[in-house]
C-alpha cells in the first residue's frame, strides 16, 4: 500500500490523468498495448507508472512480477522523473524507483519502476530479446518520433506477441508483457492504425486536460539576433506585466548562460539589508558529454546565432515603432523587483535542474530559460508568459552524403503551439513569439517529420544491426522507409565490411555503428586513425559533405565554349546569353578560365590527379591565411562553404572524441600541416575504402571492350590525343571484368558483386583537376580507376542525350 503525503495527494488530485485511473487500468488489463494521449502536464509521466505499481506490477509476489520500465528520449527527463515519482510514492516505497542512463544508474535488486533513456532499453533488448525482467514497458514522448523511439515501438510490437505466445504455450512462469505508448499530441495513427505493428488496433485513450487560452503575440519583424530580442522582451514583461512566471525557449547552453547572466545583472536579488547577492556559479557538470550518449543540445560550438536576415518581413521603419502587442495589461508602475532566473539544459547538474519545481523566493518572479526540454518533457509550475525564439537545435543530415551536423533551425507550427501552451496551465497566458507571422506561415513546417525519414538510411540499418535486429526489410517501422533503399543500404554495408554476407554485424561494423554518421564516413573515420591521418580524414569528410568549395566554371560564367554539357537545373536561357557574347567577352572568358586553372593547380601539390586532396590542401591553406575573403576571391572559392567546412571539422572532431575513448584527449586544431607522402597514399586508400561502391574503370580496360562498339567516338578513332572530358569510364558492377591483371589485387581482385547499375558510360567533370594543365590527353595517360562522390546528370547541349559526369 502506498502512503503519500497530503501535499502530494493534493497535487495529484488536480491532475487530469488521475481522474482517468480506472479507465486507463482497465484498458491495460484488457489489452496488450494501449496508447495514451494527453496534453503536456496532465500527469502521464509521473502518474501512469504509479497506477501500474499500485496495481501490483513490479511486485515479485504478484501476477506481474517484472519491473515497470519507462523510456524517455532525454536523460534529464529520465533522472528527474524518477526522482519525482520516488518522492510521490512516499518513504515506504521511495526505493522502488530507479533510473538508468548510459554509464550511470541507481537500480538495485528491489527496483520496481525504472526510468531510462530509450537507448538503454534498446541495448537491453540486444541481450534479452523477450525483456524477461519486465512486466510492462511505457514508451513516453512517442510524438517526438525520434529514431530510437520508432525502432523501440517496432521491436516491442514483436516482443508483445512473443511473450504472449510463450505465456500460453510453454512456460507457465512467463507472463505477457504490457506496452503503453504515451504521446503529448493526438497524432498517433502511425502507431494505432498501423497493421504492420498491431493486427488489431490498440485502444487510444485521450486524457482531457484543462488548458486555458493563450494569446499569441508575433513580432512585427524577425530579428536576426533573437538573444537580444529575448532579453528586451523578458525585461519588459518583468517590469510591466502582472505577476506570473516566464518560460523562455532558447536553443542551447551558450545562449542560455549568456541570457541568464544578463538578466541576473539587470534584475539582481537583494538581501534584507538591501545588498546585492552574487549568484552562485554553476556547479561543475555532473554528466559530461563524454560519458553519455550525445543529445543534440549537448553540442554547443561557439555562437549559435548565425541566422540570415529575413526579407520576408516587409515593414518600413515608420511602421516599426512602439506598437508592441501583448502589453495591454501593462501597469504604469515599473517593477524593479528581482527576477529569479534559472537555466535548464541537459548538461546542467540534476540538483540545479530540479530548482525549477521550487516556488521562487518571495517578491521575485520566476524566469526559466530552457532548451526544448521544457516543450513537452518537463512541466514548470506557475508559468504565465512564454517567450519563444522559434528555433531548435537539431541534427541535420546533408542530403546525398548523410553527414550529421548540429544546426539551429525553425521549429514546426505544432511545436510552436506546444511551447505557447506552456503558458496556459494555471490560467490564461501570453506567448511572445520572436518572429513574424509571415515567417511563421511561410517557413515553419506544419509538423516535424519523423527523424527516421530524415536520417541517412544506411545509418539507420547499421544502427539496427548493431542492436541485433537482422531482418530489416520486413521490420515493422511506425513510418517505414522505402523498402528498396533498405535493401540497397544492406548491400552498401556489406561492401563497406560492416556486415558479413549473412547480414550479421562485423567487428568493424560495431565500431562504425558508434559514429552517428553515414557509414561510409564512419568507416573513413575508423580507418583514418591509422598513419596519424585522422585530422586529414576529418577535414576531407567535412569537405565532401559541404560540397566542392571551388566555384564551378559554370558559376563563374567561364565555361569552355566547346563544353557541350549543361547542368540540368540551370536556366534555360543560357544559350541566349552565349550567343550574345561578343569576341571581347570570349577573350576575357579565356583569360579568366586560365586564372581559374592556375588557382586549381596551386593546390595540386599533394597529388596531381586527386580532387579530394586538392580540396584538402585548400581547407588547410584557408586556416593559415588571415585575409579569408581575399583568399577566397583569388582562388575562386565560396567563402560560405569554407566557413561551413571549418565548423563541421570542429563538430566531427567532437563526435570522434566522444565516441573513441582512446582519443578523448584529441583537441580540435584548425591549423594542420601538410601530410607526408605516405599519408597521402594512405588518405587515397581511405577515401577509396569509404567509396568502394563508387569506383569507375576506363572503358578500354573492361574485358570484352570493342572499340568499334564503344558509345564514345573518341574510343573508335585512332587519334593520339583526345579531349579528357570525352573519355568514357564504366562503373564497376558484377559484370565488369578487368582485362589487365596488373589492376587485380592478389586477394582476388575487384569484388565482382559490386553494384548493379545500368551499363552506361560516365565522364569526368570539367571542374576536375585532371583538366587543369591540359584539356587533351592520350587515353592511356588517364587514370585507370577513379573514385567519385556524386554523379551529376547533365543534358548534352547538342546531342540531346543525357550524360553523366563524375564529381568529387
Ligand atoms: P505529462 O507527462 O502529462 O506531461 P507530468 O507527469 O510530467 O505530465 O507532470 C505532472 C505534474 O507534475 C506537472 O504539473 C509538473 O509540474 C509536476 N511535477 C513534475 N515533476 C515535479 C517535481 N519534481 N516537483 C514538483 N512538481 C513536479
Ligand atoms: Mg511527460
Amino acid at each position: 500500500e502506498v502512503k503519500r503525503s497530503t501535499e502530494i495527494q493534493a497535487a495529484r488530485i488536480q491532475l487530469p490523468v488521475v481522474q482517468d485511473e480506472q479507465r486507463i487500468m482497465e484498458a491495460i488489463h484488457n489489452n496488450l498495448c494501449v496508447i495514451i494521449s494527453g496534453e503536456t502536464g496532465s500527469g502521464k509521466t509521473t502518474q501512469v507508472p504509479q497506477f501500474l505499481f499500485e496495481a501490483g506490477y513490479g511486485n515479485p509476489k504478484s501476477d506481474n512480477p517484472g519491473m515497470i520500465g519507462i523510456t524517455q528520449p532525454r536523460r534529464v527527463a529520465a533522472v528527474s522523473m524518477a526522482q519525482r515519482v520516488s518522492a510521490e510514492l512516499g518513504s515506504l516505497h521511495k526505493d522502488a524507483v530507479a533510473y538508468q542512463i548510459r554509464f550511470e544508474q541507481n537500480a538495485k535488486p528491489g527496483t520496481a519502476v525504472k526510468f531510462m533513456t530509450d537507448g538503454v532499453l534498446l541495448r537491453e533488448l540486444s541481450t534479452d530479446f523477450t525483456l524477461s525482467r519486465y512486466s510492462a514497458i511505457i514508451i513516453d514522448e512517442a510524438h517526438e518520433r525520434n529514431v530510437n523511439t520508432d525502432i523501440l515501438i517496432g521491436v516491442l510490437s514483436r516482443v508483445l506477441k512473443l511473450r504472449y505466445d510463450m505465456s500460453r504455450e510453454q512456460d507457465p512462469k512467463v507472463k505477457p508483457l504490457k506496452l503503453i505508448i504515451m504521446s503529448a499530441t493526438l497524432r498517433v495513427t502511425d502507431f494505432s492504425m498501423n497493421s504492420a505493428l498491431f493486427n488489431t488496433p490498440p485502444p487510444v485513450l485521450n486524457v482531457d486536460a484543462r488548458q486555458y487560452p493563450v494569446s499569441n503575440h508575433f513580432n512585427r519583424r524577425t530579428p536576426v539576433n533573437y538573444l537580444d530580442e529575448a532579453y528586451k522582451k523578458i525585461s519588459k514583461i518583468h517590469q510591466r506585466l502582472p505577476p506570473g512566471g516566464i518560460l523562455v525557449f532558447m536553443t542551447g547552453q551558450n545562449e542560455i548562460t549568456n541570457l541568464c547572466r544578463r538578466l541576473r545583472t539587470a534584475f539582481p536579488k537583494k538581501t534584507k539589508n538591501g545588498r546585492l547577492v552574487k549568484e552562485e556559479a554553476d556547479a561543475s557538470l555532473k554528466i559530461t558529454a563524454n560519458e553519455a550518449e550525445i543529445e543534440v543540445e549537448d553540442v554547443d560550438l561557439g555562437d549559435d546565432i548565425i541566422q540570415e536576415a529575413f526579407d520576408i518581413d516587409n515593414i518600413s521603419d515608420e511602421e516599426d515603432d512602439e506598437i508592441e502587442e501583448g502589453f495591454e495589461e501593462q501597469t504604469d508602475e515599473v517593477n524593479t523587483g528581482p527576477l529569479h532566473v534559472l537555466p535548464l539544459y541537459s548538461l546542467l547538474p540534476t540538483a540545479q535542474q530540479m530548482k525549477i519545481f521550487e516556488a521562487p523566493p518571495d517578491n521575485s518572479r520566476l524566469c526559466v530559460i530552457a532548451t526544448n526540454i521544457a516543450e513537452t518533457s518537463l512541466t514548470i509550475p506557475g508559468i504565465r508568459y512564454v517567450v519563444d525564439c522559434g528555433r531548435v537545435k537539431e541534427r541535420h543530415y546533408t542530403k546525398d552524403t548523410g553527414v550529421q551536423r548540429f544546426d539551429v533551425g525553425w521549429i514546426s507550427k505544432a511545436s510552436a503551439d506546444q511551447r505557447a501552451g506552456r503558458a496556459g496551465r494555471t490560467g490564461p497566458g501570453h506567448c511572445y513569439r520572436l518572429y513574424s507571422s509571415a515567417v511563421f506561415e511561410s517557413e515553419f513546417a506544419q509538423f516535424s517529420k519523423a527523424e527516421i525519414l530524415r536520417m541517412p538510411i544506411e545509418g539507420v540499418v547499421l544502427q539496427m544491426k548493431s542492436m541485433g535486429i537482422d531482418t530489416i526489410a520486413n521490420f515493422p517501422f511506425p513510418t517505414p522507409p522505402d523498402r528498396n533503399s533498405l535493401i540497397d543500404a544492406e548491400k552498401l554495408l556489406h561492401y563497406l565490411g560492416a556486415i558479413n554476407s549473412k547480414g550479421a554485424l562485423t567487428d568493424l561494423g560495431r565500431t562504425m555503428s558508434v559514429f552517428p554518421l553515414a557509414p561510409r564516413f564512419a568507416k573513413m573515420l575508423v580507418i583514418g586513425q591509422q598513419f596519424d591521418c585522422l585530422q586529414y580524414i576529418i577535414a576531407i569528410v567535412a569537405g565532401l559533405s559541404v560540397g566542392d568549395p571551388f566555384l564551378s566554371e559554370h558559376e563563374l560564367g567561364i565555361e569552355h565554349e566547346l563544353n557541350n554539357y549543361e547542368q540540368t537545373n540551370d536556366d534555360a536561357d543560357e544559350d541566349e546569353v552565349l550567343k550574345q557574347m561578343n569576341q571581347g567577352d570570349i577573350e576575357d572568358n579565356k583569360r579568366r578560365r586560365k586564372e581559374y586553372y592556375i588557382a586549381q593547380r596551386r593546390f595540386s601539390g599533394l597529388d596531381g590527379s586527386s580532387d579530394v586532396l586538392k580540396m584538402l590542401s585548400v581547407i588547410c591553406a584557408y586556416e593559415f591565411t588571415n585575409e579569408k575573403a581575399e583568399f577566397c576571391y583569388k582562388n575562386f572559392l565560396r567563402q560560405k562553404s569554407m566557413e561551413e567546412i571549418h565548423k563541421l571539422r570542429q563538430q566531427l572532431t567532437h563526435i570522434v572524441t566522444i565516441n573513441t575513448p582512446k582519443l578523448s584527449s584529441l583537441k580540435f586544431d584548425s591549423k594542420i600541416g601538410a601530410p607526408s607522402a605516405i599519408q597521402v597514399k594512405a588518405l587515397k586508400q581511405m577515401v577509396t575504402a569509404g567509396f568502394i561502391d563508387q569506383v569507375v574503370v576506363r572503358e578500354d580496360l573492361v574485358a570484352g571492350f570493342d572499340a568499334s562498339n564503344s558509345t564514345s567516338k573518341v574510343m573508335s578513332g585512332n587519334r593520339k590525343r583526345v579531349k579528357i572530358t570525352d573519355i568514357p569510364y564504366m562503373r564497376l558492377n558484377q559484370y565488369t571484368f578487368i582485362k589487365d591483371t596488373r589492376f587485380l589485387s592478389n586477394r582476388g581482385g575487384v569484388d565482382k558483386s559490386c553494384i548493379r547499375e545500368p551499363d552506361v558510360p560516365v565522364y569526368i567533370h570539367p571542374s576536375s583537376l585532371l583538366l587543369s594543365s591540359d584539356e587533351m590527353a592520350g587515353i592511356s595517360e588517364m587514370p585507370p580507376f577513379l573514385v567519385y562522390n556524386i554523379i551529376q546528370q547533365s543534358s548534352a547541349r547538342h546531342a540531346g542525350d543525357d550524360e553523366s559526369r563524375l564529381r568529387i
Side-chain angles (χ1 to χ4, degrees):
E1 209 207 339
V2 174
K3 281 208 174 62
R4 300 188 176 84
S5 72
T6 41
E7 195 187 337
I8 295 279
Q9 203 52 43
R12 282 190 89 213
I13 294 295
Q14 304 287 320
L15 295 172
V17 161
V18 174
Q19 323 295 323
D20 276 337
E21 173 166 3
Q22 213 182 341
R23 187 164 70 106
I24 291 171
M25 286 314 294
E26 248 165 49
I28 294 175
H29 185 76
N30 296 328
N31 297 276
L32 289 180
C33 176
V34 172
I35 299 173
I36 301 176
S37 82
E39 202 21 86
T40 303
S42 54
K44 300 181 299 298
T45 311
T46 52
Q47 305 310 316
V48 176
Q50 298 186 60
F51 299 165
L52 288 161
F53 180 70
E54 287 190 78
Y57 284 81
N59 181 345
K61 297 190 201 79
S62 77
D63 274 351
N64 294 296
M67 284 187 288
I68 304 158
I70 305 104
T71 69
Q72 293 290 330
R74 281 175 288 270
R75 300 187 301 266
V76 170
V79 177
S80 73
M81 288 298 143
Q83 294 190 353
R84 175 63 181 175
V85 171
S86 164
E88 290 199 14
L89 282 175
S91 50
L92 205 55
H93 296 291
K94 67 179 190 331
D95 291 338
V97 188
Y99 67 82
Q100 183 177 355
I101 55 182
R102 194 175 175 191
F103 302 119
E104 188 187 317
Q105 63 155 321
N106 64 2
K108 42 208 161 293
T111 297
V113 181
K114 185 165 106 181
F115 283 84
M116 65 201 125
T117 50
D118 39 26
V120 166
L121 188 61
L122 280 170
R123 271 187 293 273
E124 283 189 23
L125 273 164
S126 63
T127 53
D128 175 15
F129 187 72
T130 62
L131 290 179
S132 54
R133 295 160 60 219
Y134 296 89
S135 61
I137 296 288
I138 301 173
I139 307 286
D140 204 358
E141 312 284 349
H143 64 274
E144 283 193 22
R145 303 304 309 276
N146 67 45
V147 172
N148 279 354
T149 306
D150 270 14
I151 294 177
L152 263 181
I153 292 174
V155 180
L156 285 172
S157 73
R158 292 299 173 269
V159 178
L160 285 189
K161 282 202 188 103
L162 195 65
R163 280 274 292 266
Y164 182 71
D165 292 345
M166 285 165 74
S167 75
R168 301 200 55 180
E169 286 158 22
Q170 316 143 357
D171 195 341
K173 284 195 299 274
V174 179
K175 305 285 180 209
L177 180 73
K178 299 289 183 177
L179 174 64
I180 298 115
I181 299 174
M182 305 207 293
S183 161
T185 68
L186 293 169
R187 296 182 77 229
V188 292
T189 47
D190 282 351
F191 312 128
S192 63
M193 304 308 276
N194 184 331
S195 59
L197 280 175
F198 307 107
N199 289 336
T200 35
V204 179
L205 307 184
N206 296 318
V207 178
D208 271 332
R210 273 175 309 268
Q211 174 72 26
Y212 296 90
V214 174
S215 344
N216 285 312
H217 310 291
F218 286 99
N219 254 39
R220 297 177 65 76
R221 285 174 188 275
T222 306
V224 176
N225 191 337
Y226 54 88
L227 197 65
D228 281 352
E229 189 68 15
Y231 173 77
K232 282 187 224 152
K233 199 67 92 182
I234 298 161
S235 303
K236 193 159 175 194
I237 293 169
H238 180 51
Q239 289 172 327
R240 296 287 183 171
L241 295 183
I246 309 173
L247 171 60
V248 186
F249 285 98
M250 285 286 143
T251 74
Q253 185 176 340
N254 282 354
E255 288 172 7
I256 292 175
T257 35
N258 178 324
L259 195 52
C260 283
R261 199 177 327 110
R262 285 165 71 180
L263 288 166
R264 282 169 177 168
T265 313
F267 307 103
K269 285 183 186 166
K270 297 188 183 91
T271 57
K272 288 196 189 74
N273 57 25
R275 279 220 309 268
L276 300 184
V277 184
K278 237 180 131 197
E279 285 289 338
E280 72 272 40
D282 283 352
S284 65
L285 301 183
K286 186 164 153 238
I287 306 163
T288 65
N290 269 348
E291 294 164 354
E293 47 237 293
I294 332 180
E295 282 174 23
V296 179
E297 58 169 82
D298 298 346
V299 182
D300 223 338
L301 296 154
D303 310 321
D304 289 328
I305 303 178
I306 306 172
Q307 290 281 331
E308 288 159 28
F310 300 99
D311 302 335
I312 195 165
D313 304 328
N314 223 337
I315 293 172
S316 67
D317 284 340
E318 298 96 83
E319 279 180 272
D320 190 35
D321 50 22
E322 287 300 284
I323 337 159
E324 194 174 5
E325 268 188 59
F327 288 90
E328 294 78 11
E329 288 179 71
Q330 172 163 332
T331 52
D332 289 337
E333 258 170 79
V334 174
N335 175 10
T336 56
L339 193 61
H340 185 55
V341 185
L342 296 175
L344 180 63
Y345 50 84
S346 69
L347 290 178
L348 193 70
T350 313
Q352 293 200 43
Q353 285 168 6
M354 299 301 271
K355 284 187 180 173
I356 58 166
F357 293 112
E358 294 165 17
D362 285 351
N363 298 323
S364 71
R365 188 200 290 269
L366 177 68
C367 176
V368 178
I369 322 277
T371 59
N372 217 26
I373 306 176
E375 190 176 295
T376 62
S377 291
L378 299 185
T379 303
I380 300 156
I383 298 301
R384 182 158 181 211
Y385 307 98
V386 163
V387 176
D388 174 19
C389 76
R391 281 103 166 160
V392 68
K393 192 177 289 170
E394 266 187 331
R395 276 171 222 266
H396 290 268
Y397 300 91
T398 318
K399 216 170 150 280
D400 302 328
T401 60
V403 161
Q404 172 180 291
R405 50 208 300 183
F406 300 91
D407 288 326
V408 171
W410 295 121
I411 57 175
S412 65
K413 288 180 178 148
S415 279
D417 290 341
Q418 267 294 344
R419 289 179 175 191
R422 307 298 94 237
R425 295 303 305 160
T426 34
H430 294 271
C431 174
Y432 299 85
R433 294 178 159 170
L434 305 181
Y435 41 90
S436 69
S437 55
V439 165
F440 175 80
E441 288 303 334
S442 65
E443 306 289 315
F444 286 35
Q446 203 64 40
F447 299 99
S448 35
K449 221 175 173 185
E451 191 184 14
I452 204 156
L453 299 181
R454 294 189 280 125
M455 269 181 73
I457 196 70
E458 309 89 21
V460 175
V461 174
L462 182 59
Q463 205 179 327
M464 292 173 70
K465 293 277 180 187
S466 75
M467 293 163 190
I469 302 169
D470 285 333
T471 47
I472 309 280
N474 298 319
F475 185 81
F477 293 96
T479 313
D482 175 59
R483 210 188 133 116
N484 283 331
S485 55
L486 286 171
I487 293 169
D488 286 347
E490 280 200 69
K491 279 195 189 134
L492 174 59
L493 290 175
H494 182 212
Y495 303 144
L496 292 174
I499 56 177
N500 63 24
S501 54
K502 297 196 183 74
L505 199 69
T506 61
D507 286 342
L508 173 65
R510 187 165 305 284
T511 317
M512 284 164 60
S513 71
V514 175
F515 292 92
L517 294 170
R520 63 171 88 250
F521 291 124
K523 174 159 185 180
M524 285 165 64
L525 290 173
V526 171
I527 59 177
Q529 292 166 25
Q530 303 167 66
F531 300 101
D532 227 357
C533 283
L534 191 57
Q535 301 275 16
Y536 302 114
I537 280 291
I538 287 175
I540 288 173
V541 170
L544 287 176
S545 67
V546 168
D548 193 355
F550 275 99
L551 292 161
S552 66
E553 298 172 285
H554 186 81
E555 281 167 287
L556 291 165
I558 53 168
E559 245 183 298
H560 197 296
E561 311 88 89
L562 299 175
N563 278 341
N564 59 350
Y565 82 103
E566 176 186 327
Q567 299 180 354
T568 38
N569 52 351
D570 284 330
D571 292 346
D573 29 35
E574 203 201 351
D575 274 334
E576 281 308 304
V577 177
L578 276 178
K579 268 185 214 148
Q580 287 165 10
M581 264 182 17
N582 58 31
Q583 198 55 37
D585 289 339
I586 291 172
E587 284 307 308
D588 201 39
N589 210 358
K590 268 191 181 150
R591 186 181 50 73
R592 291 189 64 201
R593 198 168 61 243
K594 211 166 145 193
E595 284 171 11
Y596 178 75
Y597 280 132
I598 290 171
Q600 299 265 313
R601 274 207 301 278
R602 216 173 275 149
F603 299 103
S604 65
L606 293 177
D607 186 297
S609 62
S610 168
D611 288 302
V612 168
L613 292 172
K614 172 189 79 183
M615 184 177 68
L616 178 66
S617 304
V618 165
I619 293 171
C620 293
Y622 178 76
E623 300 292 347
F624 283 96
T625 170
N626 293 325
E627 302 297 330
K628 307 263 193 248
E630 195 192 321
F631 178 84
C632 290
Y633 177 78
K634 271 201 348 222
N635 293 301
F636 301 87
L637 293 163
R638 280 184 208 98
Q639 189 166 5
K640 192 155 172 263
S641 301
M642 295 307 295
E643 283 302 319
E644 276 181 42
I645 292 170
H646 172 88
K647 209 172 140 195
L648 196 54
R649 283 176 65 194
Q650 206 173 340
Q651 296 194 0
L652 287 169
T653 309
H654 184 73
I655 288 172
V656 172
T657 51
I658 282 184
N659 292 299
T660 320
K662 67 176 197 284
L663 293 174
S664 56
S665 58
L666 185 75
K667 285 274 169 308
F668 175 64
D669 184 2
S670 62
K671 292 190 171 66
I672 47 177
S676 67
I678 289 181
Q679 284 175 320
V680 166
K681 200 166 170 196
L683 286 171
K684 287 168 80 171
Q685 293 181 1
M686 289 164 184
V687 172
T688 308
F691 287 87
I692 194 65
D693 57 323
Q694 303 195 353
V695 178
V696 293
V697 55
R698 219 168 64 213
E699 192 189 28
D700 58 302
L701 294 170
V702 177
F705 167 74
D706 175 358
S708 58
N709 258 342
S710 173
T711 49
S712 165
K713 44 189 184 304
V714 303
M715 304 306 262
S716 45
N718 270 333
R719 275 167 292 168
K720 279 227 164 64
R721 288 171 65 77
V722 297
K723 276 182 64 194
I724 292 173
T725 48
D726 285 345
I727 299 174
Y729 279 80
M730 303 303 280
R731 278 184 272 181
L732 287 188
N733 61 39
Q734 53 194 331
Y735 310 111
T736 319
F737 292 90
I738 309 297
K739 261 190 211 162
D740 192 330
T741 48
R742 272 183 308 147
F743 300 126
L744 297 181
S745 80
N746 46 16
R747 273 201 237 104
V750 177
D751 182 354
K752 287 182 189 155
S753 64
C754 269
I755 42 171
R756 43 164 185 85
E757 291 287 355
D759 238 4
V760 292
V762 290
Y763 303 90
I764 296 168
H765 195 275
S767 68
S768 171
L769 193 57
L770 290 166
L771 273 81
S772 70
S773 35
D774 201 338
E775 283 154 7
M776 309 284 281
I779 291 172
S780 60
E781 294 160 25
M782 295 306 289
F785 293 96
L786 293 172
V787 176
Y788 64 89
N789 182 17
I790 29 180
I791 290 194
Q792 198 168 57
Q793 283 280 354
S794 52
S795 56
R797 187 171 293 163
H798 302 296
D801 295 332
D802 275 356
E803 270 182 9
S804 299
R805 297 204 173 264
L806 309 170
R807 297 201 64 163
I808 59 155

